Amino acid sequence: MDKLKTQFTRVGELLFSSNTGETYSKALSLTWNILKETAILLWMVFCLVFLVFVWGWGYATQISSNAKVWYDNQGKKGSENLLGDAGKALVAAGSSSAAFAVSQAKEQLGIHNDPTPIKPIEPLPANETVTTVASSASTVTETESKDS
């Protein structure tokens, strides 16, 4: 029985010692700080990934627009692009909420400037495009007539 009493005494001294309270208090405080700082880091990484996605979307949109203008400038008369118009309407509808989300993410990361945008390609006037196609077609027709 003496061994049991002695063990109870030792455990009681360890549990109720001022050193034990301080140690556990420091451990809990440190654990809380680690969790808090990790959560902030994860939030900032999420904001960065979000901004990279938004900027990438802007680059992709501009590149696709430039490709369409370039293709149209090659002399091909394009028909109405209903899918492109519908996409533009959807982007316009969500732009206000997206702009808010982007500004919040940039504020969280302390980013003040956007990356340099891609310059758009200017389309050729419609009259010059049609004239070029028409003159090419008549040249081909004249060449075929001479060969026959």
Side-chain angles (χ1 to χ4, degrees):
M1 256 335 207
D2 288 337
K3 286 186 175 186
L4 184 61
K5 287 181 182 178
T6 306
Q7 191 60 35
F8 269 122
T9 305
R10 285 183 190 164
V11 171
E13 287 175 357
L14 285 173
L15 285 176
F16 300 112
S17 132
S18 63
N19 191 19
T20 303
E22 289 176 24
T23 304
Y24 277 111
S25 175
K26 287 179 183 178
L28 288 175
S29 175
L30 181 61
T31 302
W32 172 250
N33 285 338
I34 289 171
L35 290 174
K36 182 176 78 169
E37 295 302 324
T38 301
I40 291 171
L41 175 65
L42 291 174
W43 172 249
M44 293 176 89
V45 167
F46 171 78
C47 289
L48 179 64
V49 168
F50 177 71
L51 285 177
V52 167
F53 176 76
V54 167
W55 289 330
W57 179 268
Y59 277 122
T61 304
Q62 188 61 52
I63 288 170
S64 109
S65 175
N66 285 350
K68 183 181 181 303
V69 169
W70 175 82
Y71 183 75
D72 288 343
N73 286 345
Q74 298 305 310
K76 305 286 185 185
K77 184 176 180 184
S79 63
E80 296 271 335
N81 187 357
L82 297 179
L83 185 59
D85 292 343
K88 287 180 184 176
L90 286 174
V91 168
S95 66
S96 64
S97 60
F100 176 75
V102 167
S103 69
Q104 289 299 313
K106 288 188 334 188
E107 181 180 324
Q108 288 289 316
L109 294 174
I111 296 175
H112 302 290
N113 298 324
D114 287 340
T116 307
I118 297 174
K119 294 181 183 178
I121 298 174
E122 295 295 326
L124 295 175
N127 292 341
E128 290 181 22
T129 304
V130 173
T131 306
T132 306
V133 171
S135 65
S136 298
S138 64
T139 305
V140 170
T141 308
E142 291 174 1
T143 306
E144 290 175 359
S145 301
K146 292 178 184 176
D147 291 340
S148 301

